[in-house]
Amino acid sequence: MKVAIMCMTDVPLYNGNTINYNIIEERNNTSNVLKTQSLNAVFDVDWKILPKLTLRSQLGLQRDHKDTEQYGGKNSYFARRERA
């Protein structure tokens, strides 16, 4: 089984050189992790005071926590472009 590796050429750098972009290499040298935690709650209270008088109350609570981690190794396309 043969696998074709797609390389795209970047726009020329200011010095005339180019850097090739390899999707397989980029996948091995970079990562992006997003962790999300969420808690939602809604509380309802109905109190019938008189036959035609009702008291209603609602309380809501929401808590979110998000954590993002991005990594680009020294052999990533971004790092090579910055060094060029």
Side-chain angles (χ1 to χ4, degrees), residues 8-31:
M8 299 185 325
T9 303
D10 189 23
V11 283
L13 300 172
Y14 64 92
N15 60 7
N17 295 335
T18 58
I19 300 173
N20 288 330
Y21 180 83
N22 182 331
I23 187 69
I24 305 297
E25 181 182 69
E26 193 68 10
R27 194 178 72 192
N28 293 334
N29 290 304
T30 60
S31 69

Side-chain angles (χ1 to χ4, degrees), residues 36-56:
T36 304
Q37 295 175 341
S38 182
L39 172 68
N40 298 319
V42 176
F43 302 99
D44 290 322
V45 175
D46 284 341
W47 180 29
K48 193 165 194 165
I49 301 170
L50 297 172
K52 292 188 177 183
L53 180 63
T54 303
L55 176 67
R56 287 190 179 150

